[in-house]
Amino acid sequence: MKFDYLIVGAGLYGAVMAYELNKRGKKCLVIDRRNHIAGNVYCEDIEGIHVHKYGAHIFHTSNKEIWDYMNQFAEFNHYINSPVAVYKDELYNLPFNMNTFSKMWGIRTPQEAKEMIAKQVEEAGIKDPENLEEQCLSLVGRDVFEKLVKGYTEKQWGRDCKDLPAFIIRRLPVRFTYDNNYFNDRYQGIPIGGYTAIVERMLEGIEVRTDTDYFTFREENPDIADKIIFTGMIDEYFGYCLGELQYRSVRFETEVLDCDNYQGNAVVNYTDKEVPYTRIIEHKHFEFGQQEKTVISREYSSEWKVGMEPYYPVNDARNSRLYEEYRKLAEKEKNVIFGGRLGNYRYYDMDKVVESALETVRKIR
């Protein structure tokens, strides 16, 4: 059978593309090498709880068009992301706000917090930050950096903060209000019923094949489609001919516990470097679950190697240059569109994934 489009990857980007192209009368085939649809937003049902198999995903946006678009496929609850950070035996609210500063320094007013931060920034004496550590010290001072940034960041990226580029935390959120809402976006929530149901609705009436590797499939079916939408790794598409782009990978250690509430919050970060995992997710709290049991996932960050699941692109100078060379190769590929976080070698929030897919499909004639 001949298709107009072969869409490689049944994640959010591929599903939006398939849905929109199908609406326009295009015949699409969606394939995915995993044994399920929905990519990294996939949720599986464990003990009646929608478990975010590939890490926490909270939908948030300030774009009403994108919010309304997603609400076609699901009703969203009123979940507000308010992470907690644990440093040794101390507990802090995130993002950095008056609750954080009050706990850290025993103060109450925004003016006291501003004065404390200004004092520590002045003591650091950094005028032109050259790396992540210097950037953080120049923004919030040593106490916040040492307790809440350094250990977590070094675990997440597998590199010393002095070896990471400053731009990673150039927009470090600091609030002088008692507000624990992590995001500033107007719209925020979790789809009732989980993310997998959203993607299922997007792909209704479209042929989908899971457990299907693109490279093998394409070799066996070279004329299956007129055009390809590729959401996999751009360097893998080209056989790593210019070298491997670097990614961070994440390993999840998921456990069912015989209690109804393990940590009292959906997301708890562990910022002490001696704790091997970066955070623990308790999935039931995303949907205010009342189940008798609970499911938690510990997250361990690691360097990516071929065969592992890539999560975060390492957008330092070396990788940015290499990606630019791959992007030039991609531009020469006739009838192939590269998209999503792996195809564009760029970390996207979910709303930006949807926005990018809609922008791309509008350009298709």
Side-chain angles (χ1 to χ4, degrees):
M1 187 179 292
K2 183 80 169 179
F3 295 87
D4 296 306
Y5 286 89
L6 171 64
I7 299 176
V8 183
L12 200 51
Y13 185 94
V16 171
M17 293 293 288
Y19 176 78
E20 292 297 322
L21 289 167
N22 186 55
K23 276 201 315 185
R24 290 160 171 75
K26 303 297 183 182
K27 192 169 184 61
C28 300
L29 170 63
V30 179
I31 64 172
D32 200 294
R33 65 171 49 162
R34 292 174 176 171
N35 63 0
H36 59 75
I37 62 169
N40 280 7
V41 301
Y42 173 71
C43 296
E44 62 179 338
D45 189 306
I46 301 176
E47 297 290 340
I49 298 165
H50 295 118
V51 173
H52 296 211
K53 186 175 176 67
Y54 301 99
H57 287 82
I58 299 102
F59 198 90
H60 59 97
T61 186
S62 292
N63 187 328
K64 189 174 187 302
E65 178 191 358
I66 300 301
W67 180 249
D68 290 343
Y69 183 86
M70 292 299 290
N71 275 266
Q72 296 177 89
F73 307 104
E75 180 182 356
F76 283 72
N77 67 20
H78 59 281
Y79 175 83
I80 298 296
N81 190 32
S82 304
V84 169
V86 175
Y87 175 78
K88 298 187 184 298
D89 60 349
E90 301 169 17
L91 188 147
Y92 295 95
N93 291 106
L94 297 175
F96 309 139
N97 67 71
M98 285 305 300
N99 288 308
T100 319
F101 306 141
S102 176
K103 175 68 179 288
M104 188 166 290
W105 298 316
I107 61 174
R108 288 194 308 167
T109 68
Q111 186 58 36
E112 288 176 299
K114 290 176 182 178
E115 288 173 0
M116 181 66 77
I117 290 173
K119 178 176 178 288
Q120 293 196 4
V121 167
E122 185 179 359
E123 288 172 352
I126 298 165
K127 303 299 182 187
D128 187 19
E130 295 184 357
N131 54 55
L132 186 147
E133 178 171 321
E134 292 182 354
Q135 179 71 47
C136 189
L137 291 172
S138 72
L139 291 172
V140 292
R142 185 158 298 278
D143 287 348
V144 173
F145 170 71
E146 293 286 350
K147 290 189 175 184
L148 301 180
V149 176
K150 180 176 170 61
Y152 186 91
T153 303
E154 291 182 351
K155 286 189 291 186
Q156 185 177 33
W157 293 99
R159 293 157 175 79
D160 192 285
C161 285
K162 291 182 175 131
D163 298 326
L164 289 166
F167 72 78
I168 291 178
I169 58 164
R170 191 152 284 155
R171 294 180 178 86
L172 196 66
V174 177
R175 294 186 191 142
F176 295 100
T177 58
Y178 288 90
D179 179 7
N180 297 325
N181 184 351
Y182 194 83
F183 301 119
N184 291 316
D185 292 309
R186 181 174 179 182
Y187 308 104
Q188 179 178 175
I190 301 285
I192 298 170
Y195 287 98
T196 306
I198 286 181
V199 177
E200 284 174 346
R201 292 185 186 110
M202 289 179 175
L203 295 176
E204 280 179 6
I206 298 168
E207 184 170 348
V208 179
R209 303 183 194 180
T210 54
D211 283 315
T212 302
D213 175 74
Y214 164 73
F215 300 99
T216 303
F217 182 79
R218 186 67 175 167
E219 190 174 328
E220 294 171 351
N221 304 273
D223 301 315
I224 192 76
D226 295 325
K227 296 180 180 179
I228 296 170
I229 295 169
F230 187 81
T231 71
M233 296 188 296
I234 190 170
D235 53 343
E236 183 183 23
Y237 180 90
F238 291 105
Y240 307 106
C241 64
L242 302 176
E244 294 175 8
L245 290 164
Q246 290 180 299
Y247 300 87
R248 293 295 289 171
S249 190
V250 183
R251 177 174 64 85
F252 300 93
E253 193 178 80
T254 298
E255 186 178 357
V256 177
L257 300 178
D258 196 16
C259 65
D260 66 345
N261 191 352
Y262 174 72
Q263 62 187 18
N265 204 48
V267 182
V268 177
N269 292 354
Y270 286 80
T271 62
D272 184 349
K273 197 173 182 181
E274 277 62 48
V275 177
Y277 40 85
T278 54
R279 61 183 183 175
I280 296 179
I281 306 301
E282 187 168 10
H283 301 270
K284 72 188 305 179
H285 295 307
F286 289 127
E287 297 185 66
F288 315 109
Q290 299 297 313
Q291 296 87 350
E292 291 183 1
K293 295 187 178 182
T294 193
V295 181
I296 65 168
S297 295
R298 297 178 184 88
E299 297 188 9
Y300 299 81
S301 183
S302 65
E303 201 72 13
W304 174 85
K305 295 179 181 177
V306 174
M308 297 173 69
E309 197 63 47
Y311 282 85
Y312 307 108
V314 181
N315 293 123
D316 58 14
R318 176 260 179 195
N319 285 289
S320 295
R321 286 193 299 269
L322 182 55
Y323 167 69
E324 183 60 23
E325 295 306 308
Y326 275 119
R327 189 189 64 77
K328 290 175 183 175
L329 290 181
E331 286 181 348
K332 297 176 183 176
E333 286 289 292
K334 292 182 179 179
N335 300 321
V336 181
I337 295 169
F338 293 84
R341 64 188 175 88
L342 302 181
N344 294 146
Y345 194 65
R346 177 180 173 186
Y347 180 78
Y348 284 107
D349 286 327
M350 283 183 288
D351 64 321
K352 299 303 181 186
V353 171
V354 175
E355 189 176 327
S356 174
L358 291 175
E359 286 175 357
T360 301
V361 82
R362 285 167 187 155
K363 297 173 185 174
I364 294 175
R365 295 289 180 263

